[in-house]
Amino acid sequence: MFGSHLSVAGGLHNALIEAQRLDMDCVQVFTKNQRQWRAAPLSEESIREWNQHRKETEMDQVVSHDSYLINLAHSGEEPWRKSVEAFRDELQRCEMLAIPYLVTHPGAHLGEGIDAGIERVAAALNLLHRDLAGYRTVTLLEVTAGQGTCLGAKFEEIKQIIDRVTDSERVAVCLDTAHMIEAGYDLTSAEGTLATLDELDAVISLARVKAIHINDSKTPRGSRVDRHEHIGKGHVSLEAFRSFVNHPAFQNVPMILETPKEEASNGELWDVINLRVLRDLQKTERKTGRSRAK
């Protein structure tokens, strides 16, 4: 199932309306301004409108992304607690809106070391799970490009966080195809992609993948620089995308575009073009009878 990260300008429900208009199967949203620490609480009216339009659009598959300011791996006590409280608010918003998945970057250790950063992330999640017992929203740790001291560029780092979380069923994984190739994983061919997914399965398990950011990359394999590009216009091969969209483990996993919001030279939205390319890769697989990934 395919969708995109859409704007909530004018009301959260507007993302649902736009997703339906663009014939999407799923959608990702921010539930607050991602560049600000604080936001006004969700009003009863905004929740009502969200629920009404979600029912009308039949948009069951919704993913949220947290604020980019949050760093659950921060080495400083005050900034760490500020991030924990901000993430608490994100979880509470998702719970009120019945959004099943909240994506977060694991954070940056800022020179304290990978192990120290992993411990800080796990401690934050354990604290929040204790305080917010019974919440249904699952935190998705996103695979990152590995810029600077950011955690999550290796599957093993994601696994180490999960292993340290007491209620591990409340934590899962969000892949990002751009981040994966930027982190050094081989998404330059079908063979490389399937080997990468086999590695992921061995380290974490494909069953832990609950969302995929389906993006191309402006920068090459191993660049560690996070720059998204339209599908087929960057360094991730079309055969890699074909492997993702046809993989049996991902048939019910939301695949979300986070590519630039702009129009092509013919005036068509790039979201529409990218969705068409991805759907064509599925159709081509079915028509040619290619063997699917095992």
Side-chain angles (χ1 to χ4, degrees), residues 7-274:
S7 172
V8 296
L12 287 166
H13 62 283
N14 285 332
L16 301 173
I17 295 171
E18 181 69 354
Q20 182 185 54
R21 187 181 76 84
L22 297 177
D23 192 29
M24 295 179 179
D25 312 303
C26 51
V27 66
Q28 180 175 278
V29 298
F30 292 121
T31 63
K32 58 180 284 295
N33 189 317
Q34 76 276 19
R35 301 292 182 185
Q36 295 180 3
W37 283 104
R38 296 186 179 277
L42 291 171
S43 67
E44 290 185 7
E45 176 64 16
S46 65
I47 296 173
R48 186 193 66 77
E49 284 190 315
W50 170 266
N51 290 335
Q52 175 188 334
H53 285 88
R54 194 162 174 189
K55 183 177 180 180
E56 291 175 354
T57 60
E58 299 181 338
M59 193 63 60
D60 296 324
Q61 294 292 335
V62 180
V63 178
S64 179
H65 198 300
D66 71 345
S67 168
Y68 296 129
L69 299 175
I70 292 172
N71 182 7
L72 298 179
H74 206 296
S75 57
E77 188 64 20
E78 185 176 343
W80 180 78
R81 292 200 173 276
K82 189 174 184 179
S83 289
V84 169
E85 290 310 305
F87 198 67
R88 182 193 304 273
D89 182 52
E90 298 272 5
L91 284 168
Q92 290 170 332
R93 286 169 175 267
C94 286
E95 195 72 12
M96 286 188 282
L97 297 168
I99 296 176
Y101 300 121
L102 173 60
V103 177
T104 186
H105 295 184
H109 62 74
L110 304 177
E112 291 297 305
I114 292 172
D115 290 341
I118 286 171
E119 291 292 344
R120 298 290 273 179
V121 177
L125 294 174
N126 283 331
L127 186 156
L128 291 168
H129 290 171
R130 183 197 67 200
D131 291 351
L132 304 176
Y135 271 37
R136 295 161 296 174
T137 298
V138 174
T139 297
L140 302 188
L141 299 170
E142 182 174 348
V143 174
T144 67
Q147 289 181 269
T149 65
C150 288
L151 301 172
K154 293 183 178 180
F155 300 149
E156 289 80 4
E157 293 173 11
I158 301 288
K159 179 62 162 56
Q160 288 175 54
I161 295 171
I162 294 172
D163 286 347
R164 286 164 173 75
V165 174
T166 304
D167 295 332
S168 60
E169 72 279 0
R170 295 176 65 174
V171 183
V173 176
C174 175
L175 301 179
D176 186 310
T177 50
H179 295 174
M180 289 170 71
I181 196 170
E182 291 157 358
Y185 289 105
D186 186 0
L187 301 188
T188 63
S189 66
E191 294 75 18
T193 301
L194 294 178
T196 295
L197 293 177
D198 283 345
E199 180 181 348
L200 172 64
D201 195 30
V203 175
I204 299 176
S205 170
L206 293 178
R208 283 271 188 186
V209 177
K210 301 300 181 183
I212 298 172
H213 292 161
I214 195 92
N215 305 309
D216 211 331
S217 173
K218 287 181 182 289
T219 62
R221 181 183 178 190
S223 67
R224 298 249 169 177
V225 177
D226 181 9
R227 297 289 185 275
H228 294 184
E229 180 58 283
H230 299 299
I231 306 300
K233 302 298 181 182
H235 292 271
V236 179
S237 74
L238 284 177
E239 289 304 308
F241 286 119
R242 191 193 307 277
S243 298
F244 270 90
V245 302
N246 290 290
H247 200 291
F250 301 148
Q251 292 312 292
N252 295 312
V253 173
M255 295 192 179
I256 307 289
L257 290 163
E258 294 179 318
T259 45
K261 298 296 181 188
E262 54 194 10
E263 293 182 355
S265 57
N266 65 356
E268 190 173 19
L269 291 175
W270 267 105
D271 266 357
V272 173
I273 297 170
N274 288 324

